[in-house]
Amino acid sequence: MSSIFVKRAVFKGLAILLCLGMTPLLLTGCGSQATSTTPVTSPTTGNSSQATTRVITDMAGRQVTIPTKINTVYCAVPTAEPMVYSLAPEKLAAWVNAPSDDVKKYLSDRAKNLPVLGGWMGEKSTANLEEIAKLAPDLIVFMTTTGVNNNPGQIADSITNQTKRPVIVMESRLADTAKVYRLMGDILGVPDRAETLASYCEKKMKEVSDVVAKIPQDKLVSVYYAEGTSGLATDPSGSDHTEVLDFVKGKNVADVQAKGGQGMTNVSMEQVLSWNPDVVLVSSNSGGVKAYNSILNDTSWGKVNAVKNKKVYLTPTLPFGWYDRPPNIMRVIGSEWLGSELYPDYVKVDLRQETKDFFSLFLGQKLTDEQVAELLKHAV
């Protein structure tokens, strides 16, 4: 009988020790669910050491659950496409708009043949929801200037509701380019590549910023940004469509009210004549070449100092806009271009070599001298 009591006592003691040993684990597990501030992950089936999802905070402050490994990305607006393409071209799954033949000259063979699915631009949606559903991208990126667009989170939530895919909001402000690269690099699983591109952007933008900051006020150049087929539409200083001009200290003459959405406030020829800018920048979008030729040959425009002095430049646009529409990563080289055009005595860069370097690093394109000349033919 004593042997039985001893065995029972040992068994009971072991049970108590086991319960005591598991209690901290149970308490720790419960506590982490309530107080954790780190990204939440969900384990994969059959392997609890890995996770299939994680939670990130996007640039609208939204908590979004995304796959841990992102293989396919669709951009809800063209603004995000150049960044994704420069970071991980193999992950870009579709275009919002079909690339033109001129654009395709600077794209990989794979990128030339991606499907075109439309998107959510301003107040207009062209998204092909049926085809997006078939594509089922791992992630959708909505990039916008969050300070101007005061409801990016609502738009992203709406896109999620329509597509049933995770949507993140990214910032498109020029000043945040490097920051966004680093965040996107983490999300897409290419942090080293992102750091290389982010560091390049920081270096080049600081070089331009440091130089133009020293330009005397009386040396600043007045500029009119001509948009639309007639050139009689524009955007004022402070608009997300004129960030490059503001960045390089060009004096935007447009004394007009900023227009929401796609921008482009209509103005009259009389207003342009009264502003009489030193330089006219002509947008390459929306019939830009037509407007460029018209401005150079129209008798009314001929009264403007910029036209008289042959200071009319068509913004470079290939393969993505260097200045605007959409505002994107090409604005880094665009800042060097515009800074050197407005202030050649201050911003002294070898633009042709800078263009070759940028295209090689960001787009994987080795440009010939002829290609560089073609890119810049109306811009210098």
Side-chain angles (χ1 to χ4, degrees):
M1 291 294 292
S2 61
S3 175
I4 292 173
F5 285 128
V6 169
K7 289 180 179 179
R8 286 179 177 174
V10 170
F11 179 80
K12 185 174 181 181
L14 289 172
I16 292 171
L17 288 172
L18 182 60
C19 290
L20 289 173
M22 291 188 67
T23 298
L25 296 175
L26 292 170
L27 290 174
T28 301
C30 294
S32 65
Q33 290 294 319
T35 62
S36 175
T37 58
T38 57
V40 179
T41 60
S42 302
T44 56
T45 303
N47 189 349
S48 60
S49 65
Q50 297 181 354
T52 58
T53 63
R54 61 173 174 153
V55 175
I56 62 101
T57 302
D58 72 8
M59 300 187 83
R62 299 162 60 250
Q63 299 286 302
V64 185
T65 300
I66 65 172
T68 302
K69 184 172 177 58
I70 303 292
N71 293 312
T72 54
V73 179
Y74 160 66
C75 299
V77 289
T79 308
E81 291 171 343
M83 177 169 282
V84 174
Y85 183 74
S86 67
L87 275 172
E90 75 282 0
K91 296 180 189 290
L92 186 65
W95 297 109
V96 171
N97 301 311
S100 68
D101 289 339
D102 286 336
V103 170
K104 288 181 180 180
K105 294 176 184 177
Y106 303 96
L107 300 178
S108 68
D109 289 340
R110 175 185 177 276
K112 293 174 185 176
N113 298 301
L114 291 176
V116 177
L117 302 185
W120 287 262
M121 287 82 69
E123 299 175 356
K124 181 176 68 173
S125 172
T126 60
N128 188 327
L129 295 178
E130 183 179 347
E131 292 302 317
I132 294 171
K134 290 180 183 178
L135 181 68
D138 294 330
L139 181 69
I140 296 177
V141 180
F142 177 65
M143 184 175 280
T144 185
T145 306
T146 59
V148 175
N149 186 344
N150 58 13
N151 63 342
Q154 294 178 18
I155 296 173
D157 290 343
S158 174
I159 296 172
T160 293
N161 291 335
Q162 295 175 64
T163 63
K164 311 306 178 188
R165 310 306 301 169
V167 179
I168 60 171
V169 176
M170 291 287 107
E171 175 63 64
S172 66
R173 281 200 326 145
L174 177 62
D176 289 329
T177 303
K179 179 181 179 181
V180 181
Y181 257 122
R182 292 185 174 103
L183 179 55
M184 283 297 299
D186 173 69
I187 290 170
L188 298 183
V190 287
D192 292 342
R193 169 70 174 166
E195 183 56 41
T196 296
L197 301 184
S199 297
Y200 181 98
C201 293
E202 284 177 332
K203 178 177 182 291
K204 295 300 180 181
M205 291 176 66
K206 185 176 188 304
E207 288 174 354
V208 173
S209 179
D210 287 349
V211 171
V212 298
K214 299 174 183 177
I215 300 175
Q217 287 295 314
D218 62 351
K219 298 293 185 182
L220 297 181
V221 175
S222 63
V223 182
Y224 172 72
Y225 179 37
E227 301 179 85
T229 56
S230 67
L232 293 176
T234 194
D235 284 285
S237 179
S239 164
D240 54 340
H241 298 291
T242 59
E243 283 190 286
V244 174
L245 182 57
D246 291 341
F247 181 75
V248 301
K249 302 295 184 182
K251 292 170 59 179
N252 191 332
V253 298
D255 182 16
V256 297
Q257 185 71 34
K259 187 177 178 181
Q262 297 295 311
M264 296 206 300
T265 301
N266 291 326
V267 298
S268 67
M269 191 71 239
E270 288 72 24
Q271 285 176 291
V272 176
L273 290 171
S274 68
W275 295 328
N276 198 22
D278 300 317
V279 169
V280 170
L281 289 182
V282 185
S283 172
S284 296
N285 300 86
S286 303
V289 174
K290 179 180 178 181
Y292 177 78
N293 291 327
S294 176
I295 289 170
L296 290 179
N297 297 292
D298 185 272
T299 54
S300 294
W301 281 97
K303 300 173 184 176
V304 177
N305 280 343
V307 181
K308 290 178 183 177
N309 298 322
K310 302 187 185 310
K311 297 288 186 181
V312 180
Y313 307 126
L314 187 64
T315 59
T317 189
L318 294 174
F320 314 107
W322 292 30
Y323 180 85
D324 184 26
R325 303 194 184 282
N328 70 95
I329 62 162
M330 298 295 296
R331 292 179 299 173
V332 175
I333 182 68
S335 296
E336 292 186 280
W337 161 70
L338 186 57
S340 64
E341 287 302 322
L342 297 184
Y343 306 111
D345 293 335
Y346 296 90
V347 183
K348 297 180 179 181
V349 298
D350 183 345
L351 188 61
R352 286 170 172 78
Q353 187 59 51
E354 292 291 318
T355 301
K356 286 183 177 181
D357 292 346
F358 186 93
F359 273 65
S360 176
L361 180 60
F362 285 75
L363 305 176
Q365 292 286 324
K366 303 294 184 182
L367 297 181
T368 65
D369 290 339
E370 291 74 19
Q371 286 176 310
V372 173
E374 180 69 17
L375 288 166
L376 299 173
K377 68 179 180 180
H378 294 301
V380 294

